[in-house]
Amino acid sequence: MPESFDVIVIGAGPGGYVCALRAAQLGMRVACVEKRETLGGTCLNVGCIPSKALLQSSEHVEEARHKLADHGVVLNGEVRFDLARMLARKDEVVAANVKGVEFLFRKNKVTWLKGEGRILSPGRVAVNGETYETRHIVVATGSESIPLPGVEVDERRIVTSTGGLELDRVPGHLVVIGGGYIGLELGSVWRRLGAEVTVVEFLDRIVPGMDGEVGKAFERILTKQGLKFCLKTKVTGARAGNEGVTLTLEPAAGGPAEELRADVVLVAIGRRPYTGGLGLDAAGVALDERGRVRVDAHYATNVPGIWAIGDVIAGPMLAHKAEEEGVAVAERIAGQAGHVNYEAIPGVVYTWPEVASVGRTEEQLKEEGVAYKAGKFPFTANGRARAMGDTDGFVKILADAATDRILGAHIIGPDAGTLIAELALAIEFGASAEDVARTSHAHPSLSEAVKEAALAVAGRALHI
Ligand code: FAD
Ligand code: NAI
């Protein structure tokens, strides 16, 4: 008799492992299949966690070199850093995190099936030649980076984010293709460590989904920090040699080509769903036009008993989005009413300053013809930001013109990624700008900029 479960989750990233934990909490017999050596998926192994470790380390270098003197902290001699130690620390941080997921599996009695999972039919999954039976299958196989034709990745000179987290020496010139989340975070890491960094972006702006005003301010600040941007430009080819890589660039709209030399090229033009070898075809699971598993509002595919969540389905490719879906689908399977509010999913770029947003952008509201009011407050007028010496950026809150309900919030500034949580909660609770404006915020704190932006929605900010 094959071993049987209530739920088999395929993929142990933030979507899959959280789904497995929640299903176990709800009393189900759960297994999670993972083909990587360690649990945690892209996020913990080669994504969120290692990138944040390097962002933190490189920001310390930046502070030591450029910020501490202003605070009267005198360092004797040149600030040096040990890249090997920095990379080793990053690996230690990753190891501690992935071990943490193993511990959580043991604690919740989730069985880790090691190997590649393949769906044989609804209710049957094969792993390493063994067949397992289950009432439900949850596909949480994540995503992989999109290749760029003509730019062959070798993870040494031409790298994806995975290679870009492991460079064993600081490149003289790093060319990043794609001015999105990965390009700007990893571009910032290597710029802080001394690389010249050029970002080649196809569109006329960086981080395209983000509020336009924030995007412009972000580009200005990153340019001031030393990043170079070639917007409206496409890369049409790459030649790798001993001396580095020569890229061919063309204007996005067509025109004369030019060459750009790089020591390392980072390809970061987006990610695509990963479903290779999974057997979705044979099981009859439908995909959409972009290769994502098609699901209904409750994460059910067209095949009864097969569900899907995370990067492999539509929506923003973010770890916390995958986690929320993991919880919701486990609850649905248990007959409960699990649900995700996509209006209240924050997005954060962990550069310095950070950039964070939740809900609608100004461009979206205009396009949808929604009448809105905007309130804005700059960090230059916030006492805590001044004390920190981090006054770049602002908070912007967009509220419905008639009801005052908060529709979107956008922050560029110190700790924006933490500040946005308050506004995600506000949106989740259907709060008005006035609700936030009348809430007492500790003084002196960065969060007062949020309160002031909420006051500004009604034209009554106090400190500007
Ligand atoms: P994944 O994390 O990709 O996990 C899927 C897992 O399934 C993988 O471990 C894979 O090995 C396994 N798998 C696939 N097929 C099979 C199979 N057939 N059998 C067994 N196992 C299989 N998001 C954020 O919110 N914040 C960040 O700061 C952030 N930083 C990022 C930085 C980088 C460099 C990258 C690349 C991504 C980052 N992301 C970040 C995105 C985040 O990593 C993803 O949104 C998240 O990991 C998606 O979770 P998931 O569970 O859907 O898939
Ligand atoms: P992205 O979608 O964020 O950005 C890709 C960029 O490349 C876009 O600006 C796009 O216009 C541009 N582009 C596309 N094709 C191009 C081409 N041929 N030439 C030049 N530019 C081109 O994708 P990215 O940065 O690869 O990251 C993938 C995903 O991973 C993100 O969308 C995000 O969901 C997730 N992520 C999240 C992070 C976070 O939450 N802090 C950090 C890193 C990744």
Side-chain angles (χ1 to χ4, degrees):
M1 272 281 287
E3 195 175 355
S4 75
F5 297 92
D6 295 314
V7 181
I8 294 184
V9 183
I10 306 181
Y17 87 72
V18 168
C19 173
L21 294 177
R22 182 71 186 120
Q25 273 183 351
L26 289 165
M28 291 180 251
R29 257 176 70 78
V30 185
C32 186
V33 192
E34 175 54 59
K35 64 178 180 174
R36 206 184 280 274
E37 292 294 303
T38 49
L39 301 172
T42 304
C43 179
L44 272 64
N45 289 280
V46 290
C48 326
I49 297 300
S51 60
K52 266 76 259 177
L54 288 185
L55 278 156
Q56 191 66 45
S57 300
S58 61
E59 184 55 24
H60 287 319
V61 174
E62 181 89 345
E63 280 169 5
R65 284 192 172 153
H66 303 295
K67 295 187 183 167
L68 291 184
D70 203 38
H71 290 260
V73 179
V74 181
L75 300 171
N76 269 334
E78 186 199 350
V79 175
R80 290 184 296 119
F81 61 88
D82 177 351
L83 181 58
R85 174 68 205 126
M86 219 177 258
L87 295 174
R89 176 186 173 279
K90 173 213 38 151
D91 293 340
E92 288 159 18
V93 172
V94 167
N97 274 271
V98 299
K99 285 273 172 228
V101 180
E102 261 184 63
F103 161 78
L104 293 172
F105 271 15
R106 279 197 303 275
K107 183 177 161 205
N108 289 278
K109 303 197 170 40
V110 172
T111 304
W112 174 8
L113 300 174
K114 298 184 187 184
E116 185 161 19
R118 193 158 52 83
I119 300 172
L120 299 174
S121 61
R124 286 195 318 140
V125 174
V127 185
N128 284 340
E130 291 284 328
T131 299
Y132 300 88
E133 288 188 346
T134 179
R135 285 172 41 234
H136 299 273
I137 296 169
V138 178
V139 175
T141 48
S143 61
E144 60 180 353
S145 71
I146 297 177
L148 181 59
V151 185
E152 191 85 17
V153 167
D154 60 13
E155 294 297 8
R156 233 171 43 82
R157 285 190 183 286
I158 303 182
V159 298
T160 64
S161 53
T162 301
L165 289 164
E166 312 215 294
L167 302 179
D168 56 7
R169 88 168 84 129
V170 179
H173 185 200
L174 172 69
V175 174
V176 177
I177 310 179
Y181 280 75
I182 292 178
L184 300 179
E185 286 188 356
L186 289 185
S188 289
V189 165
W190 295 106
R191 198 273 308 152
R192 293 167 187 169
L193 298 180
E196 183 192 344
V197 176
T198 307
V199 178
V200 181
E201 166 60 49
F202 187 80
L203 299 176
D204 60 356
R205 52 161 301 182
I206 58 171
V207 276
M210 196 171 272
D211 187 87
E213 189 180 10
V214 171
K216 276 204 192 85
F218 192 25
E219 188 189 328
R220 243 189 340 263
I221 291 169
L222 291 177
T223 303
K224 208 166 71 185
Q225 292 176 357
L227 256 73
K228 294 197 181 94
F229 291 98
C230 298
L231 301 180
K232 293 193 269 184
T233 305
K234 62 184 173 192
V235 174
T236 52
R239 276 193 325 275
N242 287 340
E243 294 304 303
V245 184
T246 306
L247 292 172
T248 316
L249 311 185
E250 278 178 29
E258 52 179 291
E259 294 198 329
L260 182 65
R261 211 203 64 81
D263 297 293
V264 173
V265 175
L266 167 63
V267 182
I269 59 166
R271 295 178 63 83
R272 64 183 181 191
Y274 180 76
T275 52
L278 195 55
L280 290 180
D281 248 13
V285 175
L287 305 182
D288 69 12
E289 69 296 342
R290 289 165 66 180
R292 301 172 297 199
V293 178
R294 198 188 285 276
V295 290
D296 68 10
H298 303 141
Y299 314 104
T301 69
N302 59 313
V303 177
I306 304 184
W307 312 73
I309 54 166
D311 278 10
V312 82
I313 66 168
M317 290 182 162
L318 297 173
H320 42 285
K321 176 259 192 190
E323 292 187 35
E324 297 304 335
E325 291 175 345
V327 169
V329 78
E331 293 176 351
R332 285 278 157 188
I333 289 171
Q336 299 184 356
H339 166 77
V340 178
N341 176 4
Y342 290 95
E343 288 304 317
I345 306 253
V348 181
V349 189
Y350 294 88
T351 46
W352 196 263
E354 292 180 346
V355 183
S357 70
V358 61
R360 289 275 184 271
T361 64
E362 226 172 319
E363 289 73 19
Q364 283 171 326
L365 292 175
K366 281 186 184 140
E367 207 179 296
E368 291 161 14
V370 177
Y372 66 92
K373 297 173 290 182
K376 227 175 100 178
F377 191 80
F379 283 102
T380 41
N382 174 272
R384 185 66 187 281
R386 283 214 202 109
M388 290 166 69
D390 269 310
T391 52
D392 274 344
F394 56 86
V395 179
K396 173 159 116 176
I397 295 178
L398 305 169
D400 189 288
T403 65
D404 197 38
R405 185 179 178 142
I406 297 178
L407 303 172
H410 307 277
I411 308 178
I412 175 164
D415 283 336
T418 304
L419 295 175
I420 202 72
E422 174 183 358
L423 293 159
L425 189 70
I427 290 181
E428 181 70 37
F429 281 17
S432 64
E434 187 176 355
D435 288 328
V436 174
R438 289 196 182 275
T439 303
S440 175
H441 288 66
H443 177 75
S445 70
L446 295 171
S447 70
E448 287 173 293
V450 172
K451 177 187 171 90
E452 289 279 356
L455 281 166
V457 169
R460 57 190 186 93
L462 289 164
H463 289 88
I464 193 147

